[in-house]
Amino acid sequence: MGKVNLNWFFCLSLLMVGCAQIKIVEGGEKDTSPPVLLATDTPDSLRNWQGKGFELTWDEYVAVQDAANQITFSPPLQYPLNVMAKGRKVMVSWTDTLRSETTYQVDFGNSIVDITEGNPSTLTRIWSTGAVLDSLEMSGSVSNGWTAAPVDQAVVQLLTAPFDLEKINKPSYQVKSNKEGQFAFHCLPSASFYLLAFEDKNKSGRWEEGEWLDTDMQLHLTSNEEQDISCVLSQNVGAEPKIGDVTTDSAGWASWAWDQRWAVPQFAPSSADEVWENNWVIQRSGDSILAAWVGNVDNRFHPLKLKLENGQVDSISIPVFIERWERNPYFEKVKERKVIANQSFALPLPYPSSGVQWSKWKWISKNENEKGNEKGREEMPVVVVKKDNEAVISTKGLMPGKYALEILPKAVFYQDLEWVTDTIVYTIHVLGSEDIGQLQVKSAFSPDFWWSLTDEKGKVQTISGEQIMNKGIEAIPGTYILRVVEEKENPQYWDGMNWKRQTEAEIVHVFPQPIVIRANWNQVLEWK
């Protein structure tokens, strides 16, 4: 065997180690510049042009994203706009025949971005199929009628005739609102239009039943160049009753949304053999309808045919399985409440409960003694009043402190069915005068309007306008939204627009910022 040259072996090893080292390549500054348009095969602001598309060339590789929401073609096309990116080019085309003597505009929004960092470029293209480029404008804002918050991506249309719920409304011009709720029409002719704004949940570009909307009952003149049009979206309270999406809970109860102004649907038997009594239960619960089969459990689906107040008939199917009766009805997932001493509070009941056994509801004191140890178990009866699908519970006579509210088996029942089979425990914090805050509002609003406080969970509490303006109210510490609805006839319910009656939505005033209620703190607000 020959001798190995150790020096050569050592040098080779060092070379291999050096080659295996990985070095991080340091890049330059992050690219924050949007793509720049270099050229186009069709100049902007052309007249007498009736082409079928154009091509855009950029200074870097680009992509097109969220085209359906970002790009607005106005007046709108009948068929979808085709937009495709390839390398540094964006190709735009359409199959529609454009209207004669009309100015068109394409706003690309934030759809064209560079492929490295996604920086968007803003671009608007205009042209006319006639000899004149229209130049008038109209702008405004879109807000939610209940929250007063701006509405992003709302569709705003200009119509030549008043909006009609029962027809297909073809807009003359169409744009979308931005994140601030602002919208603007450009390149409009001197003409009059009706305005329609709506939330486009289905991205269809046209209003559909259930979507919030606002439509003016007056004409807008573009010659006046209106700049401050306010669109306030609300539900259409004049809509025909209709059974929408039906959900079934773990206990087998079917429910669907139902306007409080609509009558409860009536049972419509398919044959003389169908019996309503002792088989079906249907009732209203707030803004929903609840329905269930309460006849013999036969492990199958039962069809339910209902007649609506407008004469229409609709059907749903409800499951009837043995597992339904073996499950406890749900109360609330978070079984903890804060309540003010000597005031009542409500807990939801399994619907539709027809009986409550008062002896099976108990207060258990969990207060501590002077040494900080929990006192012995002290049981007290609970005063419960059943109201609709709630148990209204009084705290009268309870000292401020912490309590357990025990709901024992068989505390709530329906006919011969035992609804509650396990003990359910709520933790109730009864708050004294030092644990709550007070709020008074000095305002020029009428005390007869509907005043409300909405907490962080969205629960709305109706309050007396006269009391909050003159004496003040007690409130549990937390953050609230204060509203005043110009409503006197139907308090506790905000009425949106009614297209059939041609009435606008009730005006809602929202206090400019959230109100923070602190314990043992009295505050007076000025609301001008």
Side-chain angles (χ1 to χ4, degrees):
M1 181 180 296
K3 294 182 179 180
V4 178
N5 190 327
L6 296 180
N7 290 333
W8 170 252
F9 181 77
F10 179 72
C11 293
L12 182 60
S13 299
L14 289 178
L15 180 61
M16 293 177 64
V17 171
C19 293
Q21 292 179 347
I22 300 176
K23 294 184 179 181
I24 299 176
V25 178
E26 297 181 359
E29 295 183 0
K30 182 179 179 180
D31 178 18
T32 59
S33 301
V36 176
L37 181 65
L38 296 180
T40 175
D41 63 348
T42 305
D44 194 27
S45 302
L46 281 177
R47 293 172 172 82
N48 298 309
W49 187 71
Q50 298 183 9
K52 290 291 185 178
F54 50 84
E55 185 177 278
L56 307 171
T57 303
W58 304 84
D59 67 337
E60 57 182 317
Y61 287 93
V62 294
V64 176
Q65 63 179 16
D66 197 20
N69 292 322
Q70 293 293 331
I71 301 177
T72 303
F73 196 105
S74 187
L77 299 171
Q78 181 179 359
Y79 302 104
L81 180 69
N82 301 310
V83 183
M84 182 179 65
K86 185 177 182 181
R88 292 186 172 89
K89 295 183 181 294
V90 172
M91 284 71 73
V92 183
S93 63
W94 53 88
T95 58
D96 288 50
T97 299
L98 302 184
R99 307 173 191 174
S100 61
E101 303 297 328
T102 301
T103 299
Y104 280 85
Q105 172 182 293
V106 181
D107 186 344
F108 289 89
N110 294 325
S111 64
I112 300 177
V113 300
D114 60 47
I115 63 172
T116 54
E117 299 293 343
N119 298 310
S121 177
T122 57
L123 177 67
T124 301
R125 303 272 298 172
I126 63 172
W127 69 90
S128 175
T129 57
V132 177
L133 273 173
D134 296 320
S135 59
L136 295 178
E137 299 183 351
M138 184 183 295
S139 61
S141 61
V142 184
S143 62
N144 182 293
W146 177 247
T147 66
V151 179
D152 185 23
Q153 294 296 304
V155 172
V156 186
Q157 298 177 340
L158 296 181
L159 311 175
T160 56
F163 174 67
D164 192 334
L165 284 175
E166 299 172 352
K167 298 179 180 179
I168 297 178
N169 301 270
K170 294 184 178 181
S172 297
Y173 297 90
Q174 175 174 302
V175 295
K176 292 183 180 179
S177 61
N178 59 21
K179 292 182 179 179
E180 290 73 37
Q182 303 295 321
F183 68 88
F185 290 94
H186 304 285
C187 308
L188 295 177
S190 178
S192 300
F193 297 99
Y194 292 92
L195 189 141
L196 168 67
F198 58 92
E199 54 176 356
D200 192 16
K201 288 184 176 180
N202 297 327
K203 310 300 180 185
S204 63
R206 62 181 182 276
W207 180 83
E208 296 180 359
E209 187 67 51
E211 294 177 338
W212 284 30
L213 78 159
D214 183 21
T215 178
D216 284 339
M217 312 302 173
Q218 61 181 352
L219 282 168
H220 293 274
L221 304 176
T222 58
S223 57
N224 294 338
E225 297 191 10
E226 296 190 58
Q227 303 296 320
D228 296 308
I229 302 174
S230 177
C231 300
V232 181
L233 303 188
S234 70
Q235 77 277 32
N236 174 37
V237 299
E240 292 290 334
K242 179 182 179 182
I243 298 177
D245 294 334
V246 179
T247 59
T248 305
D249 66 11
S250 61
W253 291 94
S255 64
W256 60 89
W258 200 251
D259 194 299
Q260 292 189 5
R261 301 164 189 78
W262 297 342
V264 176
Q266 300 298 310
F267 177 63
S270 300
S271 66
D273 298 331
E274 283 195 87
V275 180
W276 171 267
E277 295 80 6
N278 301 322
N279 282 340
W280 290 104
V281 170
I282 180 169
Q283 65 181 50
R284 184 194 301 276
S285 178
D287 55 359
S288 299
I289 291 292
L290 310 173
W293 170 271
V294 293
N296 295 328
V297 179
D298 50 11
N299 293 319
R300 66 185 182 91
F301 284 83
H302 282 256
L304 173 61
K305 184 180 291 186
L306 296 171
K307 184 177 182 180
L308 313 183
E309 62 179 300
N310 59 357
Q312 299 295 318
V313 177
D314 206 343
S315 298
I316 63 173
S317 183
I318 296 180
V320 181
F321 296 94
I322 189 64
E323 292 84 358
R324 169 186 173 187
W325 310 112
E326 295 176 349
R327 296 179 180 178
N328 283 325
Y330 53 86
F331 278 68
E332 293 173 296
K333 292 181 179 179
V334 179
K335 296 179 176 62
E336 188 169 5
R337 289 288 190 90
K338 291 181 179 179
V339 298
I340 299 176
N342 296 319
Q343 292 189 9
S344 297
F345 66 98
L347 295 180
L349 290 175
Y351 41 78
S353 58
S354 64
V356 176
Q357 297 192 55
W358 323 124
S359 61
K360 296 186 179 296
W361 298 64
K362 297 182 182 298
W363 285 117
I364 309 297
S365 175
K366 301 182 70 173
N367 297 317
E368 299 176 346
N369 55 29
E370 295 180 356
K371 296 182 179 181
N373 299 321
E374 189 171 307
K375 295 180 181 180
R377 180 183 176 94
E378 182 182 354
E379 295 187 3
M380 293 160 284
V382 178
V383 178
V384 185
V385 177
K386 181 179 174 294
K387 182 180 180 181
D388 297 329
N389 295 312
E390 295 181 328
V392 180
I393 301 169
S394 172
T395 62
K396 188 176 182 179
L398 296 181
M399 298 295 294
K402 187 177 181 180
Y403 296 84
L405 174 61
E406 288 191 356
I407 306 174
L408 305 178
K410 302 182 182 180
V412 183
F413 61 90
Y414 177 73
Q415 292 184 359
D416 58 343
L417 305 173
E418 299 174 2
W419 283 99
V420 180
T421 58
D422 294 328
T423 298
I424 298 173
V425 180
Y426 275 85
T427 298
I428 307 296
H429 301 268
V430 180
L431 306 179
S433 58
E434 295 182 354
D435 305 315
I436 60 177
Q438 288 194 337
L439 174 65
Q440 185 178 6
V441 179
K442 300 294 185 180
S443 174
F445 289 125
S446 170
D448 296 329
F449 288 161
W450 171 32
W451 291 64
S452 70
L453 282 175
T454 304
D455 64 17
E456 295 171 285
K457 296 181 179 179
K459 185 177 181 181
V460 180
Q461 173 189 355
T462 297
I463 54 180
S464 166
E466 182 177 359
Q467 183 176 359
I468 195 173
M469 295 175 68
N470 297 330
K471 299 179 181 179
I473 62 168
E474 297 178 333
I476 296 173
T479 302
Y480 297 86
I481 301 297
L482 176 64
R483 290 184 176 87
V484 175
V485 182
E486 295 190 13
E487 167 68 272
K488 296 181 180 180
E489 298 180 358
N490 186 25
Q492 302 186 19
Y493 199 86
W494 172 53
D495 292 323
M497 66 161 291
N498 191 316
W499 178 78
K500 283 190 173 181
R501 297 181 180 178
Q502 296 290 287
T503 57
E504 301 287 351
E506 292 172 344
I507 298 175
V508 180
H509 304 276
V510 183
F511 194 73
Q513 62 267 353
I515 298 172
V516 179
I517 303 294
R518 296 180 175 86
N520 201 22
W521 188 274
N522 299 336
Q523 60 177 316
V524 180
L525 299 178
E526 295 283 345
W527 192 359
K528 298 181 180 180

